[in-house]
Amino acid sequence: MAVDCREASPPTAGASGVDTATPIRGLLKRWKCRSTAGSHLPLLSRVLLGRGLADAAAAETFFAPTLKHLHDPSLMPGLEAAAARILDAARGGEPIVIYGDYDVDGVTATAILYHTIKAIAPDAPVTSYVPHRLEEGYGLSADAIRELAAAGAKVVVSVDCGITAVEPAEAARAAGIDLVITDHHNLPGDGVYPAAHALVHPRLPGSAYPFGDLCGAGVAYKLAWRLCTLACRSERVSEPLRALLIEMLALASLGVIADVVPLVGENRVIAFHGLRRIRSSRFEGLRALVEASGLSGGNVSEEGVGFSLAPRLNACGRMGHAREAVELLTTATGARAAEIAEQLTLLNEDRRRIERRIFDQACDLAEAAGMTSGDRRAIVLAHADWHAGVVGIVCSRLVERFGRPVILMCSRDGVCHGSGRSIDGYSLHAGLHHCAGHLTTYGGHDMAAGLKLNAAGLNAFVESFMQHANDHIAPESLMSTVGYDTEASLHEITLPVTQRLLSMAPFGQGNPSLRLRVTAARVAARPTTMGKENKHMLVQLETTTPNAPHQFLRTVGWNWAQRIEHFPVGRIVDVLLTPKVSEWQGRVRLEAELIDVRE
């Protein structure tokens, strides 16, 4: 959120690196520096030190991660037993069902295992099952397991769900199904695990797996890798399977970015290599999605996934049924692939319209209920007209607006069903576990979760959750903090340095976007509006640093047009910005995106 320059006061920094100036009216974000490196070091060195990359070897590994940095899948608990059972079933003609979640992570995990099993045993009777978000809810269902058994399934493999599915596992055993659970979500708080044929999870008790932050697609990818080596009876797989594993990094990268897991370690390796393969993927459905998203003109970035590809795939599960998203990434080709991709685009447009309406309503209701004040440190709302498939996205927007955990639900037919999002430092999963007695079902992790409860118990749940939030969130935590890498002078922000810094991509959770604090920059010329509806602002800044080379920097403030009068020529401002490199008609130009500003 940008700060009105007329109200801002010069920031000061305490020993912690957090600006300690008294917040002004309307200011929701504090600034915190990630680096303590001295200003005598070059800008690139200061940024790398702030991110823990203190030596040349660590920096080079980060800038150029290789597939050799992926860990041996056999180290993951339960994976050997899972791979052996799936391979036996595939080769023995036993019906296999991949039971996935309905979000991008679940859909891509489903596609990864489907392609792998079909490549190893083309005639294997493998199908997929994705529950309906609104009718069935998240995760494994005992009823669905029984239906799959009645249809002949012998092996059910969950992806991106199931680690707390005790009852469905019992239903599978009673029905004669071998259930293989692969998941990455928070482990059961009571320590009771499903009695499945195999439990695959990187953080199971006693695990020796070196990286615990894989997403569901990452766990599925590791299982696929082991299926291939087991099928070839060698750590060196056949060339067709090797090519498939490399191609499937594109699918896994979608799950990594969409599920907002830390982009470090194995996740960075998967995203780094997978993003480069998306546009030219051998999977026709993925190429059709890229085309429908308008991204076919160049390499797909993490922003392209986050703002174009992932919302379209998610829209299928939110607004309809995710089985079409699974079809797109598994069996769809030609005209059918293009048809599904176009349908997902239309669904996403519908989702955006509904999202805007719910957001406006939720803001009004939260303020009217006093849930935006300091003594009520969470927002928990339910409404009969809200779409349960969309409320999760609205939660994220409300968290950004009000700086506190948010739970939004659709209340219908005596049941409240919805999602929640949290802030750094507060575990949403722990909050729901505290309120488990009020809930029918819940699941997720620290930052995001889903839940269901009887509408009659809504008020009791709200008060119980609110008390937990009040007890575990300090008042100062309600003002969110925006981090920046280091202070910089405009003359340090050059095109070569920026290009090197941007090669730290992909950016995301655990590897945040590059942000620099430029102090005492001067507005060099009258700003102008830009864009189809003139919603954005373009302003030239210039350096005021004594004895430094004079430099101008073109900066863009997205949706800042309403603030244009606060940037008169000559005004001195402190800004947080992200350097960018734009390319247009063969011309490469340095510019920056405005993040925040103070006078």
Side-chain angles (χ1 to χ4, degrees):
M1 175 180 178
V3 180
D4 187 328
C5 289
R6 296 175 301 178
E7 301 175 340
S9 56
T12 59
S16 66
V18 180
D19 286 350
T20 57
T22 302
I24 61 173
R25 180 170 59 85
L27 175 60
L28 296 180
K29 292 183 179 179
R30 298 173 296 176
W31 296 2
K32 181 175 182 179
C33 184
R34 302 187 187 104
S35 176
T36 58
S39 59
H40 64 283
L41 294 174
L43 176 57
L44 178 60
S45 297
R46 301 201 302 273
V47 171
L48 294 179
L49 284 171
R51 297 187 178 220
L53 302 172
D55 61 81
E60 285 307 311
T61 297
F62 189 84
F63 279 114
T66 72
L67 297 180
K68 293 180 180 179
H69 296 137
L70 294 176
H71 303 300
D72 180 355
S74 297
L75 296 173
M76 191 173 297
L79 194 138
E80 284 293 307
R85 183 65 186 94
I86 294 169
L87 185 61
D88 285 346
R91 286 177 165 170
E94 298 179 83
I96 303 169
V97 178
I98 305 168
Y99 193 119
D101 190 18
Y102 37 64
D103 65 0
V104 176
D105 195 20
V107 167
T108 53
T110 299
I112 286 168
L113 285 189
Y114 179 88
H115 287 298
T116 304
I117 294 170
K118 279 296 189 180
I120 292 172
D123 295 328
V126 54
T127 57
S128 63
Y129 182 91
V130 181
H132 191 285
R133 178 190 288 264
L134 303 184
E135 296 177 4
E136 298 176 79
Y138 168 79
L140 286 169
S141 157
D143 289 340
I145 291 290
R146 285 187 280 266
E147 290 178 8
L148 293 173
K154 296 300 180 184
V155 176
V156 171
V157 186
S158 82
V159 291
D160 193 35
C161 62
I163 196 59
T164 61
V166 173
E167 182 185 352
E170 293 175 353
R173 176 166 294 188
I177 283 180
D178 282 340
L179 177 63
V180 172
I181 291 176
T182 77
D183 201 354
H184 74 111
H185 289 98
N186 284 17
L187 300 174
D190 57 8
V192 178
Y193 291 85
H197 180 85
L199 289 179
V200 181
H201 193 297
R203 298 193 309 275
L204 283 175
S207 173
Y209 196 75
F211 187 73
D213 289 325
L214 289 170
C215 65
V219 175
Y221 186 83
K222 287 310 187 76
L223 177 55
W225 179 357
R226 184 59 183 131
L227 281 169
C228 291
T229 58
L230 197 60
C232 294
R233 298 182 180 180
S234 169
E235 293 303 306
R236 296 182 61 86
V237 301
S238 66
E239 186 55 35
L241 289 181
R242 177 182 178 278
L244 175 64
L245 286 170
I246 292 175
E247 284 291 333
M248 290 193 306
L249 288 168
L251 297 174
S253 70
L254 294 177
V256 165
I257 292 166
D259 221 49
V260 201
V261 290
L263 280 173
V264 297
E266 288 193 294
N267 290 335
R268 176 169 173 78
V269 176
I270 291 170
F272 183 90
H273 291 279
L275 286 171
R276 287 159 170 76
R277 309 198 69 84
I278 289 176
R279 185 169 65 93
S280 58
S281 171
R282 68 188 253 186
F283 305 124
E284 290 189 46
L286 183 52
R287 294 202 310 272
L289 185 66
V290 170
E291 182 72 27
S293 303
L295 298 176
S296 57
N299 287 331
V300 177
S301 68
E302 67 273 22
E303 291 180 343
V305 173
F307 291 103
S308 295
L309 300 182
R312 283 168 167 80
L313 289 171
N314 271 330
C316 193
R318 295 184 188 281
M319 307 298 294
H321 200 297
R323 58 175 167 252
E324 289 191 336
V326 173
E327 180 186 353
L328 180 68
L329 298 183
T330 54
T331 61
T333 59
R336 177 56 179 163
E339 177 188 8
I340 296 176
E342 182 60 30
Q343 288 175 356
L344 298 193
T345 297
L346 295 175
L347 284 173
N348 191 49
E349 292 172 357
D350 288 342
R351 185 271 307 169
R352 292 174 65 183
R353 286 192 290 269
I354 293 171
E355 177 190 334
R356 286 193 292 269
R357 174 178 59 82
I358 297 175
F359 176 76
D360 291 340
Q361 290 177 331
C363 285
D364 292 342
L365 290 172
E367 290 172 347
M371 293 181 178
T372 60
S373 64
D375 59 348
R376 290 177 74 78
R377 298 168 198 166
I379 294 173
V380 185
L381 300 168
H383 196 288
D385 294 335
W386 288 349
H387 194 297
V390 177
V391 292
I393 310 173
V394 181
C395 286
S396 297
R397 294 186 59 190
L398 289 171
V399 169
E400 183 176 356
R401 167 72 69 88
F402 296 111
R404 64 198 64 213
V406 178
I407 295 174
L408 298 180
M409 295 170 283
C410 170
S411 177
R412 191 171 300 154
D413 298 327
V415 175
C416 294
H417 175 213
S419 300
R421 300 293 185 270
S422 194
I423 60 174
D424 288 339
Y426 179 74
S427 170
L428 184 60
H429 187 271
L432 294 180
H433 182 67
H434 170 78
C435 306
H438 301 287
L439 303 175
T440 304
T441 60
Y442 70 95
H445 44 81
D446 291 349
M447 299 300 291
L451 70 160
K452 183 184 293 186
L453 68 150
N454 293 322
L458 176 62
N459 290 338
F461 166 70
V462 170
E463 292 309 313
S464 178
F465 185 85
M466 193 71 67
Q467 186 61 55
H468 187 273
N470 284 354
D471 290 343
H472 291 82
I473 300 174
E476 58 269 21
S477 298
L478 300 178
M479 181 184 293
S480 58
T481 299
V482 56
Y484 63 94
D485 287 276
T486 187
E487 289 191 12
S489 299
L490 280 182
H491 72 273
E492 294 183 283
I493 307 174
T494 64
L495 181 60
V497 169
T498 298
Q499 288 173 321
R500 181 61 169 161
L501 287 170
L502 293 180
S503 66
M504 297 173 68
F507 297 106
Q509 183 78 14
N511 184 40
S513 296
L514 176 68
R515 287 179 182 151
L516 303 176
R517 176 176 180 171
V518 176
T519 58
R522 180 187 289 117
V523 178
R526 186 173 181 272
T528 59
T529 59
M530 57 180 286
K532 184 181 296 185
E533 300 179 10
N534 289 315
K535 291 182 177 181
H536 315 303
M537 182 187 72
L538 175 64
V539 59
Q540 289 278 355
L541 299 178
E542 63 179 335
T543 183
T544 62
T545 306
N547 304 318
H550 191 266
Q551 180 167 316
F552 294 93
L553 182 63
R554 179 181 189 267
T555 61
V556 177
W558 301 111
N559 296 308
W560 279 36
Q562 71 273 22
R563 301 183 178 94
I564 197 168
E565 69 271 19
H566 307 321
F567 290 82
V569 177
R571 172 157 282 175
I572 305 298
V573 292
D574 281 6
V575 293
L576 291 188
L577 54 79
T578 297
K580 299 280 188 177
V581 175
S582 67
E583 297 184 29
W584 177 252
Q585 295 182 339
R587 181 187 177 190
V588 179
R589 179 172 59 185
L590 174 67
E591 61 181 33
E593 176 186 345
L594 283 170
I595 305 300
D596 209 344
V597 61
R598 292 177 180 175
E599 184 179 7

